[in-house]
Amino acid sequence: MMQLKELGEFGLIERIRNAAGRSDAIVGIGDDCAAFRVPSGTVPLVSTDMLLEEVHFRSAWSDYYSIGCKSVAVNVSDIAAMGGTPQAIFMGLAAPGEMSVEQLESLVRGVREESRYYGAELLGGDTCRSPSGLVLGITVQGYVPEQQIVTRSGARGGDIIWVSGSLGDSGLALKMLQQGQQPPEVLAMRHHRPRAQVALGRALAKRDLATAMIDISDGLLADLGHILHASEVGAEIDVRRLPLSSYMQHHLTRQPEDLHLALRGGEDYELLFCSAEERGAELRELSAQLEVPLTPIGEIRQTSGLGVVGANDLGSELKGEGYDHFVSS
Amino acid sequence: MMQLKELGEFGLIERIRNAAGRSDAIVGIGDDCAAFRVPSGTVPLVSTDMLLEEVHFRSAWSDYYSIGCKSVAVNVSDIAAMGGTPQAIFMGLAAPGEMSVEQLESLVRGVREESRYYGAELLGGDTCRSPSGLVLGITVQGYVPEQQIVTRSGARGGDIIWVSGSLGDSGLALKMLQQGQQPPEVLAMRHHRPRAQVALGRALAKRDLATAMIDISDGLLADLGHILHASEVGAEIDVRRLPLSSYMQHHLTRQPEDLHLALRGGEDYELLFCSAEERGAELRELSAQLEVPLTPIGEIRQTSGLGVVGANDLGSELKGEGYDHFVSS
């Protein structure tokens, strides 16, 4: 197997460009910048994420193709959380010289195919050699009509708090991996191959159904905390209403304390949003139409603070915290 | 001194946001994405760069403020090379937990102030903890009227090859640092604090003076090679015409073999461009107006290959290669 240090940086860029095929961009991979047209009547949305080996992923637990897919999905999820449509992906890549060209091509194929799944295109990047592990810096550009942007700051007292899909599966899969167990395929996919809720985010924005929105990357409590902080409101949620998969429900019958995985496990990449109470019927209709479960889990309060009810087992232990990258406790 | 692991990720983002001040963006730091308006009649330009400690910079040789400045300048240089105007900066940051909050704030201040120097704004990013050294993933977004984009692929036989500023100073400073010497302040600044040639790139694009353009990051020969490859042409350059600073000229009287620093030292961040022969007078006028030296160093040929003349001392040793991140030879 050829190693990266044999192929070289420019050989690698050439391979990536050749594999990219036809592009809609004005200027694609291989010049100083990419140039592309943003649909008229829209404004650009940009988000960037750093992903480090041994922090965000482990090649022992996941194949490189999936690592590439996930690195795009977690970024596109931020576009979804603003109500936007993803358009272009840029990939910064610092790779160990010992990585094989095949591994890297799998990674890039994952990046490209996941991008295409969302209608976006890999349009540029930068490669260099990493003295330690693999580092990915992914930037996604999307667009949205300016009046449809959904921020974190519009939640109002009385709004209902909704969440898409189910919570905690990714955290449960990670826990099993950390304990040396192989999670069931469906759970493993929730962790290794999350899918961003782009169609849902877009539909909520277009119909003005969400007053505030965020994607759940740090964990439900932490991400709800970001909305409360930005909107200067409080909330009460009922953990008995949290949407849980059958795997999680089964797991909780044996280990009820793992409910915290649904509250602060993170990496669910579901959408958490607030909506005026009278829009509930429209949301249920949208849920059926998109075939995405939407569940009301609580309510926004005018007074600050986050109350969590229905968790007798956990009680006062709960705090509005998710995963924080610098605090090691 | 407070360490990052005490402040935490959200504390850090809060500090960065609070220091950012007023923003022209629709949505700035602290939401899922940034949102901003692109001037009408223009298209977005995007470039991304990864910068790793011990590969692209060493904190022993440079202060964190300068590392922040340089990380922006080298990216903005890519916008300049397309003839564009920089608008927004996004910073992915993986920092060791032992890094102090003061060091990180210096870095971010450098990023912000260098961005402002070019009229751009730090609009978002991502932070996480790095298990090894500091990693920066910088993405810059700019804009340009579509018909003014200057790519690498428009060079035609007979075009004159021009370069801005002087070459090799950054490479000479790096060589001195590697040998444990302290370079003179002016040379050190060329290495640690390069400035992107935005006004020049913009003027060349606006007046349609450049048929092809690139910024010199990998070294003159390598970057000229990129233009030749993309334009499917060849070239001949005369090393006796290379613009050299008085430091470099003086250095070469003692070590003539170091001429290679001007040819493939890299990190000059000058603009290398091709222009029809009859536009020479306009270029000299522009050079005087912008107070940026512009020097003709050779000519584009219809037949492929890069000829280098005037270097008797170096002769056949020269090849069209610059710095390649994976090839370790």
Side-chain angles (χ1 to χ4, degrees), chain B residues 13 18 22 31 34 50 63 87 141 149 159 177 186 247 254 257 274 310 322 326:
Chain B
I13 294 170
N18 290 344
R22 210 188 63 81
D31 214 304
M50 294 287 277
D63 58 285
Q87 180 179 24
Q141 167 130 13
I149 294 173
D159 280 356
L177 289 165
V186 174
Y247 288 98
R254 288 169 300 157
E257 71 279 10
C274 305
F326 290 108

Side-chain angles (χ1 to χ4, degrees), chain B residues 174-250:
Chain B
L174 179 60
K175 184 186 170 180
M176 294 177 77
L177 289 165
Q178 283 168 339
Q179 292 177 343
Q181 299 171 260
Q182 184 56 45
E185 183 65 14
V186 174
L187 278 190
M189 288 290 279
R190 287 297 312 261
H191 185 68
H192 293 312
R193 296 285 300 279
R195 277 271 150 94
Q197 295 281 11
V198 174
L200 173 62
R202 190 69 209 101
L204 292 170
K206 203 171 172 184
R207 301 171 196 205
D208 196 20
L209 277 165
T211 55
M213 184 153 61
I214 193 169
D215 69 317
I216 301 180
S217 54
D218 297 323
L220 172 65
L221 294 184
D223 289 312
L224 179 55
H226 295 320
I227 285 185
L228 302 185
H229 182 72
S231 299
E232 298 179 356
V233 291
E236 185 175 291
I237 62 167
D238 185 339
V239 297
R240 289 166 299 197
R241 304 179 73 175
L242 296 182
L244 304 175
S245 69
S246 52
Y247 288 98
M248 181 56 104
Q249 288 177 28
H250 179 69

Side-chain angles (χ1 to χ4, degrees), chain A residues 111-151:
Chain A
V111 166
R112 190 179 305 115
E113 291 182 8
E114 187 78 7
S115 300
R116 284 206 187 126
Y117 175 81
Y118 302 110
E121 197 183 343
L122 175 62
L123 279 189
D126 184 41
T127 60
C128 64
R129 188 167 174 169
S130 167
S132 52
L134 181 66
V135 184
L136 290 167
I138 304 282
T139 301
V140 57
Q141 167 131 12
Y143 56 85
V144 65
E146 184 174 340
Q147 71 283 6
Q148 292 179 12
I149 295 173
V150 186
T151 67

